Amino acid sequence: MILSVTEPETTTRTWRRGRRTARLSRLPRQVHRPAAGAGRTPLSASAPSPTPSRPAAGTGTALAEAPSDPSPGTPSGTPPRVSAGGSGGEEEVRLRLSLADLLTLGNAVCGFAAIYCVTTAVLIPHLLDGTSGDGVRQGGASAVMFILLGALFDLCDGIVARRFGGSGMGAELDNLSDLISFGLAPAYFVLVWGLVGGGENHLGLTTISAVAVLLGGVMRLARFSITTMRDGMFEGMPIPFAALTVLSVVLLQLSFVITVLAVLAIAYLMVSRVAYPKPTGRLAVATAGWGAVNIGCLVAWALDSPGGETLLVTGCCLQVALAAALPVTAGVRKVAGRRLA
């Protein structure tokens, strides 16, 4: 009778203990590895949890090599971004400035200096007391000098980048600097010329022509960044060349209507599909000689050399003639090539 009472209870306890032991044996073992640089840590005395916990980053070699789970919303296959100065197997974006980048930044500084000279020497005296004399000449000459210097920097940064290499920011820096020196500065030059020389009566047309120069430069740079040009050709007037041509047209001091029409034509040529050849061979020698005489005349006028006005007119006329002759030369070459074909 006693066995009939105690035997079921003993059997039930043994069955429950065996079930618990079997359940615990199926749980994964949790091994606690010591962190890098730390001493050994004893095993945890607490009961293991049903799911293994994720170790902290950097606590094991296997974890460092294993890829992390993508964050919600991140498409599969997208490589993680590497922060500046970080390390890893992926290629980093170079954020250090190269020598070519420094020349490009010098171009941007020249554009800002041209705007500053026109503002302080021409615009502010005109707004304060309405004077316009030596200040106009001084401001215009300084602006021409800085834009010519910016064009020199723009020429040299490409040569240096091809010779010594550049950074990943080189193309973007070049576009932004060109926009300041050869887009914004000439447009501002045209606007101040209209305000000082033409007065408020012509301010509307002057503003339109200045905005056209600015937008033409912006669109020219944007199109140049996304299109592949034919070998030896530019599509549209290059923006440094257009900036020098705009300054030359304004400095010639022609009638207001002719100047505005010429400025609008230059703005159109920047966004047009008119072909401008890259000077090579004899054309390169002739263009370099022509440009040297042109720039030399403008520099001599800016430095107040004897016969400055004659030098100014000569240099401006040479620049305008070169701007008109290059697309004509490209057109003649194109027609001759079709006849030979």
Side-chain angles (χ1 to χ4, degrees):
M1 194 67 179
I2 294 176
L3 291 176
S4 63
V5 175
T6 58
E7 187 175 3
E9 183 178 359
T10 303
T11 304
T12 303
R13 291 179 179 176
T14 303
W15 177 77
R16 289 179 178 175
R17 189 180 299 111
R19 183 180 178 183
R20 180 182 179 188
T21 303
R23 185 171 67 249
L24 293 178
S25 64
R26 290 195 301 268
L27 294 177
R29 292 185 178 182
Q30 183 178 8
V31 180
H32 296 264
R33 297 182 180 179
R40 296 181 178 272
T41 56
L43 296 178
S44 175
S46 60
S49 57
T51 57
S53 59
R54 183 184 294 272
T59 57
T61 306
L63 179 62
E65 295 176 355
S68 59
D69 296 335
S71 58
T74 303
S76 60
T78 302
R81 294 184 179 180
V82 180
S83 58
S87 60
E90 298 184 4
E91 183 180 359
E92 299 180 18
V93 177
R94 290 186 58 188
L95 297 181
R96 295 181 179 179
L97 295 177
S98 63
L99 179 59
D101 295 334
L102 295 178
L103 294 174
T104 304
L105 293 178
N107 178 18
V109 172
C110 289
F112 175 78
I115 296 173
Y116 174 80
C117 291
V118 173
T119 302
T120 56
V122 181
L123 182 61
I124 292 180
H126 175 77
L127 294 178
L128 290 179
D129 51 13
T131 59
S132 60
D134 294 337
V136 175
R137 185 194 181 285
Q138 179 183 358
S142 300
V144 169
M145 287 291 294
F146 278 117
I147 291 180
L148 289 174
L149 185 60
L152 179 62
F153 280 134
D154 185 60
L155 176 65
C156 293
D157 64 359
I159 298 175
V160 172
R162 287 188 293 270
R163 178 65 177 84
F164 300 102
S167 68
M169 302 184 296
E172 286 73 15
L173 288 177
D174 187 66
N175 280 344
L176 293 174
S177 299
D178 287 351
L179 179 59
I180 296 173
S181 297
F182 310 128
L184 181 59
Y188 187 75
F189 194 88
V190 171
L191 185 63
V192 173
W193 161 79
L195 181 61
V196 173
E200 297 182 357
N201 298 329
H202 303 294
L203 187 58
L205 291 175
T206 304
T207 304
I208 292 174
S209 58
V211 171
V213 171
L214 177 62
L215 295 182
V218 171
M219 295 176 65
R220 175 72 176 86
L221 292 173
R223 188 177 66 181
F224 181 77
S225 300
I226 63 174
T227 57
T228 303
M229 306 304 301
R230 292 179 297 169
D231 293 337
M233 301 298 293
F234 287 112
E235 190 175 80
M237 182 182 290
I239 187 171
F241 196 74
L244 295 177
T245 308
V246 167
L247 294 181
S248 300
V249 169
V250 173
L251 292 174
L252 280 175
Q253 298 182 1
L254 304 173
S255 65
F256 178 81
V257 176
I258 295 177
T259 303
V260 168
L261 292 177
V263 169
L264 292 176
I266 296 169
Y268 167 75
L269 287 174
M270 281 192 285
V271 299
S272 68
R273 297 189 178 276
V274 176
Y276 277 78
K278 295 180 181 179
T280 56
R282 295 181 179 179
L283 181 61
V285 176
T287 303
W290 193 304
V293 175
N294 168 25
I295 294 175
C297 291
L298 292 177
V299 170
W301 166 77
L303 296 177
D304 200 10
S305 300
E309 294 301 323
T310 303
L311 293 173
L312 173 64
V313 173
T314 303
C316 292
C317 290
L318 288 175
Q319 177 64 31
V320 174
L322 183 61
L326 286 178
V328 173
T329 303
V332 171
R333 284 184 174 183
K334 187 175 181 180
V335 172
R338 288 181 178 179
R339 289 181 179 179
L340 292 177

